[in-house]
Amino acid sequence: MPKKTPITVAYGDGIGPEIMRATLDIIVAAGAALELDVIEIGEKVYLAGNPSGIAPSAWESLRRTRVFLKAPITTPQGGGYKSLNVTTRTMLGLYANVRPAIAYAPFVDTKYPDMDLIIVRENEEDIYGGIEYRQTQQMTEALKLISRPGTEKIVRFAFEYARANVRKKVTCFAKDNILKLTDGLFHKIFDEIASQYPDLTSEFWIVDIGAAKLADTPEAFDVLVLPNLYGDILSDVAAQIAGSVGLAGSANIGDVAAMFEAIHGSAPRRANQNLANPSGLLQGAILMLAHIGQTDVANTVQNAWLRTIEDGIHTYDIYKEGSSKEKVGTKEFAQAVVARLGQKPAQLRPASYRPSGSTNVVAARTKEASPERKALVGVDVYLDWTKGRPDELGAGLRPLGADRMRLQAVFNRGTVVWPNGLPETFCTDHWRARYLGNDGMTLENRDIIALLERIGAAGYDYIKTEHLYTFDGIPGFSAGPA
Ligand code: NAD
């Protein structure tokens, strides 16, 4: 008897308990060696007054087993409830979200029968810190954070994943034609790391045209690595066009822990009717089996599941008159998969998880580079101002640079409005004044404090500052006027 791997299991809400029972029945029948530790998460926990939907005692289980098979949960209506998924990802450091988007044509309807794509989405950075501000009557702001170590981890993971799972190409999408520093860093690191994997093809697309290509010709892609927001959006697009939203599983991987789930929610209207399709959670469980090294079981389950789909034994959501053979409930579907354990699909590509493959790749860390020389060369001062025209603002702010700084430009929503602004430019109440050190002079924090005092004393309402640094002489801030 192989050694049992301890895993934490949550049955969730809505259809969760039914699809979890079906999933566990199948994988246990296939010989999965698991020791289950069941925890409570979701609606009941939220409503018992725990805003994160998970009790403190459940963390002990997760920290012990480090493997979490999670059914979907219902987030109660109304404010104040934190996303359990976001909490779990950040608390356990699950930086990689792996989402296969695979077509099962001709057995499941899809416009793209050859689609077989893995999306690797960065899970911890970008706008998902949810750091937002309202700064004036008219303006709100969100922070997008992209770090070198965060990007190195996810890009390396994508290449290691591709190699371990015998994929051929890794593609990156970002918007670095506009976001030159944040998405620019993502692109730069992608190129750096791609050069260390000469056995794999690599390519980069601007996300807008890349997304269009993905929606039009998804079979052109193999493994896609994306910053958090683009990954969030495009992994749903990919699952939808593959025809597999109800069939898709997902893995969230970190260095010490991992979580596996279906991509759909708790579908409360379908609950307790033996209707729901357990395939999404089963796909999550298969990724889990491969991750914990039970690759033979993963392959056995996947092959039996593919065979069941081929045999036309379908739950209501994928049942189609003519091509499907039998419409079954959750339990009967699970029984049909169990009955096919040991069989292989006749047409669909059989499973090929390998012991060293799956999601169980640890992205080696890049060695710390020596730090670049950082110099403070200016400051952007944000102002709440409604008292006149941009040239009046520029004229008022210009002398305040005093002897150590000069006002280079005033911007409104990213557009230069002083000097030489156009009267046509629409302006809000949110302004940005860029001061640079005179004659390239390096500044100190006290220069900025003195500047703010002068600005405040002149009657302007400054609402935020952003220091302007160079790193080894290269500006670490978006460009001013040409
Ligand atoms: P949903 O994915 O739960 O359901 C949308 C529709 O898809 C359902 O009405 C149903 O027709 C169909 N569907 C989904 N899964 C199915 C399955 N396994 N078998 C058959 N049909 C299925 O999305 P929703 O209705 O927007 O959200 C319901 C609840 O789920 C919300 O409380 C939401 O917050 C939560 N949610 C949880 C997760 C998660 O736990 N990971 C993810 C998404 C949504």
Side-chain angles (χ1 to χ4, degrees):
M1 190 67 187
K3 194 168 164 297
K4 290 189 172 180
T5 305
I7 66 164
T8 301
V9 169
Y11 281 82
D13 301 313
I15 59 171
E18 294 162 81
I19 60 174
M20 182 59 86
R21 276 193 293 274
T23 296
L24 292 173
D25 284 352
I26 295 168
I27 63 175
V28 168
L34 302 171
E35 184 193 299
L36 308 186
D37 191 9
V38 176
I39 60 167
E40 186 82 60
I41 55 164
E43 200 171 20
K44 266 194 251 142
V45 182
Y46 280 117
L47 296 176
N50 197 318
S52 55
I54 177 163
S57 59
W59 288 113
E60 284 163 30
S61 171
L62 289 171
R63 293 182 60 210
R64 184 175 64 81
T65 68
R66 299 169 168 202
V67 181
F68 188 15
L69 182 61
K70 172 182 163 292
I73 59 154
T74 302
T75 311
Q77 296 290 314
Y81 300 110
K82 282 198 243 160
S83 157
L84 178 62
N85 270 15
V86 173
T87 306
T88 318
R89 278 178 203 161
T90 48
M91 296 283 283
L92 296 179
L94 309 180
Y95 63 86
N97 182 207
V98 180
R99 281 187 38 175
I102 299 169
Y104 301 104
F107 308 101
V108 179
D109 261 356
T110 173
K111 293 193 187 91
Y112 304 103
D114 299 323
M115 182 170 179
D116 182 356
L117 170 71
I118 307 287
I119 296 196
V120 177
R121 165 188 169 194
E122 198 286 317
N123 236 352
E124 294 181 307
E125 300 201 335
D126 204 338
I127 60 164
Y128 286 75
I131 307 168
E132 295 191 298
Y133 302 98
R134 178 170 172 187
Q135 297 171 322
T136 66
Q137 294 296 322
Q138 297 174 352
M139 188 57 78
T140 53
E141 179 197 62
L143 279 189
K144 169 167 168 131
L145 299 173
I146 302 281
S147 76
R148 175 168 271 278
T151 306
E152 282 177 356
K153 270 197 304 190
I154 194 68
V155 172
R156 216 172 260 294
F157 178 92
F159 277 95
E160 287 291 325
Y161 183 94
R163 193 181 260 175
N165 290 278
V166 207
R167 297 267 172 173
K168 293 192 173 61
K169 183 169 76 169
V170 182
T171 305
C172 175
F173 292 173
K175 187 78 185 166
D176 65 334
N177 52 336
I178 301 295
L179 298 167
K180 295 189 164 67
L181 290 176
T182 48
D183 283 21
L185 180 65
F186 203 91
H187 184 174
K188 183 169 173 236
I189 292 173
F190 176 77
D191 287 347
E192 280 171 21
I193 291 180
S195 69
Q196 297 162 24
Y197 292 83
D199 49 321
L200 295 165
T201 305
S202 65
E203 60 178 20
F204 177 85
W205 295 65
I206 299 290
V207 62
D208 38 16
I209 188 65
K213 178 81 175 170
L214 174 68
D216 180 65
T217 323
E219 61 277 11
F221 299 106
D222 193 357
V223 174
L224 257 182
V225 62
L226 302 172
N228 208 340
L229 177 64
Y230 313 139
D232 189 3
I233 297 167
L234 293 180
S235 57
D236 270 16
V237 170
Q240 181 73 31
I241 64 175
S244 62
V245 176
L247 308 181
S250 141
N252 290 275
I253 310 287
D255 285 339
V256 292
M259 171 173 83
F260 303 87
E261 61 184 344
I263 68 165
H264 60 71
S266 60
R269 285 189 308 122
R270 309 289 179 186
N272 303 317
Q273 296 159 63
N274 191 38
L275 278 175
N277 189 345
S279 299
L281 186 58
L282 184 66
Q283 287 302 318
I286 292 167
L287 290 171
M288 176 191 77
L289 289 167
H291 179 79
I292 62 178
Q294 298 189 25
T295 37
D296 289 347
V297 189
N299 285 329
T300 304
V301 175
Q302 175 72 354
N303 285 334
W305 177 80
L306 289 167
R307 188 63 193 238
T308 310
I309 297 292
E310 280 186 347
D311 285 349
I313 299 177
H314 294 166
T315 44
Y316 82 93
D317 54 311
I318 56 167
Y319 182 85
K320 201 162 167 240
E321 209 63 58
S323 53
S324 302
K325 295 223 169 52
E326 201 182 330
K327 192 192 278 181
V328 292
T330 315
K331 277 190 208 146
E332 295 72 27
F333 182 82
Q335 285 160 3
V337 178
V338 170
R340 286 165 180 74
L341 290 170
Q343 295 186 33
K344 285 203 168 153
Q347 285 185 53
L348 294 170
R349 191 163 60 83
S352 57
Y353 290 107
R354 304 188 314 168
S356 63
S358 79
T359 53
N360 199 3
V361 291
V362 175
R365 294 287 177 274
T366 313
K367 269 203 246 100
E368 283 287 316
S370 54
E372 291 152 88
R373 194 170 38 81
K374 178 176 160 189
L376 180 64
V377 297
V379 62
D380 277 355
V381 181
Y382 288 75
L383 300 158
D384 180 347
W385 192 73
T386 49
K387 301 211 172 78
R389 293 192 319 272
D391 48 346
E392 293 171 294
L393 183 60
L397 291 173
R398 190 176 187 179
L400 304 178
D403 53 345
R404 285 178 63 79
M405 281 183 247
R406 70 178 173 90
L407 179 68
Q408 184 204 28
V410 178
F411 303 79
N412 199 292
R413 298 189 306 172
T415 304
V416 176
V417 292
W418 180 95
N420 311 322
L422 294 181
E424 288 81 8
T425 304
F426 178 81
C427 289
T428 67
D429 59 2
H430 184 261
W431 307 81
R432 176 164 57 104
R434 172 162 292 180
Y435 289 91
L436 297 176
N438 262 337
D439 302 324
M441 178 195 295
T442 301
L443 301 171
E444 294 175 29
N445 277 343
R446 64 166 179 253
D447 294 318
I448 291 172
I449 293 165
L451 171 69
L452 291 179
E453 276 174 2
R454 291 193 295 273
I455 290 176
Y460 294 105
D461 180 13
Y462 60 83
I463 51 177
K464 168 188 154 124
T465 56
E466 201 72 64
H467 291 198
L468 308 180
Y469 295 108
T470 56
F471 292 83
D472 280 351
I474 297 169
F477 46 90
S478 46

